[in-house]
Amino acid sequence: MSISTPVGTPYAERATSLVARADQDRWGSVGPSLYETARVLSAAPWLPGEPRRITYLLEQQAPDGSWGEGPLPYRLLPTLSAVEAALAVLRRGTTSAEVTGRLTAAVNTGLGVLRALPPVCPWPDTAAAEILVPSLVAKINEKLDSLTTGENTPDPGAPRLPDPGGPRLPDPGGPRLPVPGGFHAWAPARVARRYEPAGSLPVKFHHTFEGIDSYIPPSLVPDAEGLLGSSPAATAARAARQPATTAQAITDLTAVAQRYSGLFPEAAPLRVVERLWVAAALARAHLPAAALPTVRGWAEEIYDPQGVRGAPGLMTDADDTAMAVLVASLVGLPYDPAPLDLFHNGSHYDCYIGEDTGSVTANAHALQALVSHLRHRPTAEHTYGPRAAKLCDWLIGRQQPEGHWSDKWHASPYYATARSVTALTQYGGHHASRAARSAAAWTTDTQRADGSWGVWGGTAEETAYAVKILLNATTPTPRRTRALHLAETYLHTTSHTGHQHPALWHDKTLYAPTAVIEAEVLTAQEMLRAHRAAACTQADAERTDA
C-alpha cells in the first residue's frame, strides 16, 4: 500500500473525485431503507411527509407480496415492517378510500407471504433480528385484532375498513401470525427484564430500540441527544414512548428526510464508515496525491484514543477503530493501536462490548492495522507482534473447508474472504500463505461464465473482491490469467452500462454503501490495469533478453 507510486490518470481523477464527493456528503451515500422508513411511518404520524412514505411503501412491494432485497430470508424483516406500518396507517383511518384499498391489498398479500414461510429457515445474522422479528409479529397481531374488533385510535368518525366491496382484511377469527421458526416471542421482554433492575438500557440496544419499545418501563427509555443510536426508527419509537421528545425528534428526523426525499436510511449519518472504507480501498491501488490531504484530515478527525464509533450514538467498536488506525498509518500518521485493547478478549477482538457473535472482517481489519503499524514502528513488536500472531491463527481457524470465509456484516463470502486474504498475505508466513492459496482456489472455481462473481448473481462489487483475492494470493498461472482477463472485461462492461449495486451489506436489513462499493470496484480495475502493464513489461524484457 503506497501513496507515492504513480497511478493511471483515469484512476487518479476518479479516485480524487470520489474522495471529494465523500468529503462533501454529510450523510453518506447509502440509500433509503424500506424497513426503517416503514418504522417511522408507523410510529410517527406527527412527522410531515407521511403521504410520500405511504407511496414509497406501496411502490416497493414486490409482485410476490414481499418487501426488501435479496432472497426470501432477507425479506422477512422488511415485509414484517411494511405490513405493520400499513396496518398502523389503516388503523389511523386518515387515508382516502383509494389509498385505504391499496394498503389493505398490500397487507393481504404481505400476510400471505409471511404465513407461507417454511417452519425452519436459515435466517441471516442481521442486527438484532432476534428481537426485531418477534416484536413486529406481536405488533402486527395487536393491530389486526384492533382493526377487526373496531378499536380505532384517533378519529372515531374516520373509516375503519375499506368499503365492503373493496379488499378486506383477514378474518379476525383466523390464526394469528406465528413467530417464524428460530425466533422466540419472549426475546424482547427478556431484554426488558434483564436491564430493568439496573435502571438503564445498554447503548448496544439504542440502534434497534424500536424492537423493545413496547416492552420496557419508562425508566429504561434512553435519554440521548440527536437520533437515538443514529437510527430514525429508534428515534421515532422513543418519541412515541416519551412525547416530550417529539419536538426534537421532528427536527432531527426532518433533517434526515430532507436528504432522502422524505424517506430514511437505517443509520444516519454514515460518514465515518464511508470515509474509512473508501480511503482503505483506494490505498490498495495507491492513493492519489491530490486526495491525500483530504484523507489525512479524515484520519486526524476520526481517530480517537477512546475508540471509534461508526456513527453518532453507536457504541465504539473494534471494526471502525481498526480501520481508523489502518487509514492513519497508510497516510503517514502511525497512531497507536492501543484503542483496540478495549476489545481484545485474549485471542481476537470482540466487535463491541457485549457482542453475541464474532466478526471475521473486523479481526481482519485489526490484523491489517497491527501489521501496518509495526511496519512504521518496529519497536512496538514486543507489544503487538504476539497479538498479531494470535490474530493470524484465529483467522485461519475460521476459514471454511471450501476455502472461503463468511461474516455477519456482509451477505457475500467474497467480502469476508478478500478481507481475510489481504490481512493474512500482509502478515505473511507459511500457514497464512497456504490459507490464502486455498481461498484463491475456491475463488477461481466459483467464477461465473460472464467473468463475474456473486453469491446470488454476478455483481461488480463481488467481482472486485474476487480480483483482489486472486491478485493477492496466487502466482501467475494460465487459469488465473484467464480468470482475471474475464473479470476485467466484466468490470469494464458494467462500468459503462449503469450497473446498479445490489444491497449486500448487513445492518438491520441489507443496504449498499455506494461510495464504498465504487471505491472497491475502481481499485480492482486499477490493480488489474497495473497487473496487465507489469506483465507486458516483463514479456518485453524477456523478448529483449532472448
Side-chain angles (χ1 to χ4, degrees):
M1 296 186 186
S2 169
I3 60 174
S4 58
T5 306
V7 297
T9 300
Y11 166 79
E13 292 177 352
R14 293 170 63 192
T16 302
S17 174
L18 181 57
V19 168
R21 283 189 281 120
D23 189 57
Q24 294 163 8
D25 188 351
R26 60 179 291 240
W27 294 106
S29 62
V30 296
S33 159
L34 184 284
Y35 166 84
E36 201 82 2
T37 300
R39 293 299 79 233
V40 175
L41 174 61
S42 174
W46 32 261
L47 186 68
E50 179 169 291
R52 169 72 178 105
R53 290 183 278 281
I54 293 174
T55 299
Y56 174 71
L57 183 147
L58 292 170
E59 290 175 345
Q60 291 299 307
Q61 189 172 27
D64 69 354
S66 68
W67 281 267
E69 299 187 65
L72 184 59
Y74 280 93
R75 291 172 172 260
L76 170 63
L77 193 61
T79 300
L80 286 168
S81 184
V83 167
E84 195 280 339
L87 286 169
V89 174
L90 285 170
R91 186 163 72 167
R92 292 200 280 266
T94 56
T95 54
S96 68
E98 178 191 356
V99 173
T100 298
R102 293 179 65 194
L103 286 169
T104 302
V107 167
N108 277 322
T109 52
L111 285 172
V113 170
L114 295 171
R115 293 190 187 282
L117 289 173
V120 179
C121 189
W123 306 112
D125 186 15
T126 49
E130 69 279 3
I131 61 173
L132 296 176
V133 167
S135 174
L136 279 170
V137 169
K139 291 177 179 179
I140 287 172
N141 285 328
E142 181 272 327
K143 286 179 174 60
L144 283 172
D145 291 345
S146 68
L147 276 168
T148 53
T149 57
E151 296 176 9
N152 241 9
T153 35
D155 180 3
R160 179 173 57 82
L161 289 170
D163 287 339
R168 300 304 304 269
L169 288 172
D171 180 355
R176 307 181 92 216
L177 187 65
V179 174
F183 297 98
H184 305 286
W186 44 259
R190 185 176 66 171
V191 172
R193 289 195 302 270
R194 180 177 180 183
Y195 296 106
E196 185 173 4
S200 64
L201 192 68
V203 176
K204 68 176 283 189
F205 292 106
H206 288 191
H207 183 59
T208 53
F209 176 73
E210 71 274 14
I212 53 176
D213 63 324
S214 301
Y215 300 85
I216 63 173
S219 61
L220 290 186
V221 177
D223 182 16
E225 295 183 359
L227 293 176
L228 181 62
S230 283
S231 165
T235 303
R238 179 180 61 178
R241 285 297 309 272
Q242 277 188 346
T245 66
T246 300
Q248 186 59 47
I250 290 175
T251 299
D252 296 332
L253 291 171
T254 298
V256 182
Q258 288 175 346
R259 166 65 170 80
Y260 292 93
S261 302
L263 311 178
F264 297 94
E266 288 181 18
L270 211 61
R271 290 193 309 268
V272 169
V273 172
E274 180 165 287
R275 292 176 179 186
L276 290 175
W277 265 248
V278 165
L282 295 178
R284 292 293 312 282
H286 314 302
L287 191 64
L292 180 57
T294 299
V295 174
R296 189 181 181 95
W298 292 351
E300 291 173 339
E301 177 186 348
I302 293 172
Y303 177 86
D304 189 331
Q306 303 302 314
V308 177
R309 62 193 80 236
L314 298 181
M315 299 179 71
T316 56
D317 68 88
D319 206 4
D320 290 289
T321 301
M323 290 292 274
V325 173
L326 173 63
V327 170
S329 177
L330 295 176
V331 296
L333 298 170
Y335 290 153
D336 199 318
L340 281 169
D341 295 348
L342 299 167
F343 312 100
H344 200 260
N345 61 22
S347 64
H348 64 284
Y349 294 93
D350 292 329
C351 229
Y352 52 85
I353 307 303
E355 181 181 42
D356 296 322
T357 55
S359 167
V360 164
T361 59
N363 282 279
H365 294 152
L367 181 56
Q368 282 187 264
L370 295 180
V371 169
S372 185
H373 180 76
L374 288 171
R375 286 175 179 168
H376 288 87
R377 292 287 188 273
T379 55
E381 173 66 31
H382 67 285
T383 301
Y384 296 113
R387 186 165 292 184
K390 283 187 176 182
L391 201 50
C392 176
D393 291 340
W394 185 86
L395 277 175
I396 293 173
R398 297 303 177 278
Q399 189 174 24
Q400 299 299 312
E402 298 84 359
H404 67 274
W405 283 263
S406 299
D407 191 56
K408 67 179 183 179
W409 297 121
H410 204 284
S412 174
Y414 296 102
Y415 173 75
T417 303
R419 288 319 205 240
S420 298
V421 166
T422 297
L424 291 173
T425 54
Q426 288 176 3
Y427 180 79
H430 171 71
H431 296 300
S433 296
R434 185 172 60 187
R437 289 195 299 272
S438 176
W442 169 80
T443 301
T444 305
D445 289 342
T446 56
Q447 187 176 30
R448 294 174 178 270
D450 64 355
S452 69
W453 282 267
V455 63
W456 301 322
T459 70
E461 177 186 354
E462 293 168 280
T463 301
Y465 298 141
V467 163
K468 293 168 187 178
I469 295 167
L470 294 179
L471 289 176
N472 265 306
T474 56
T475 54
T477 64
R479 190 179 181 202
R480 189 195 77 156
T481 299
R482 172 172 170 75
L484 291 174
H485 173 72
L486 290 172
E488 187 169 18
T489 301
Y490 173 82
L491 290 176
H492 176 77
T493 301
T494 57
S495 67
H496 288 80
T497 57
H499 179 78
Q500 294 297 311
H501 300 298
L504 294 168
W505 295 62
H506 284 185
D507 188 1
K508 302 172 193 178
T509 59
L510 294 170
Y511 73 103
T514 304
V516 175
I517 298 169
E518 288 180 1
E520 294 286 356
V521 173
L522 180 59
T523 299
Q525 291 178 299
E526 174 61 15
M527 292 172 70
L528 284 166
R529 184 204 63 78
H531 172 74
R532 180 166 31 82
C536 290
T537 299
Q538 181 178 352
D540 289 344
E542 290 173 353
R543 282 194 293 270
T544 300
D545 292 341

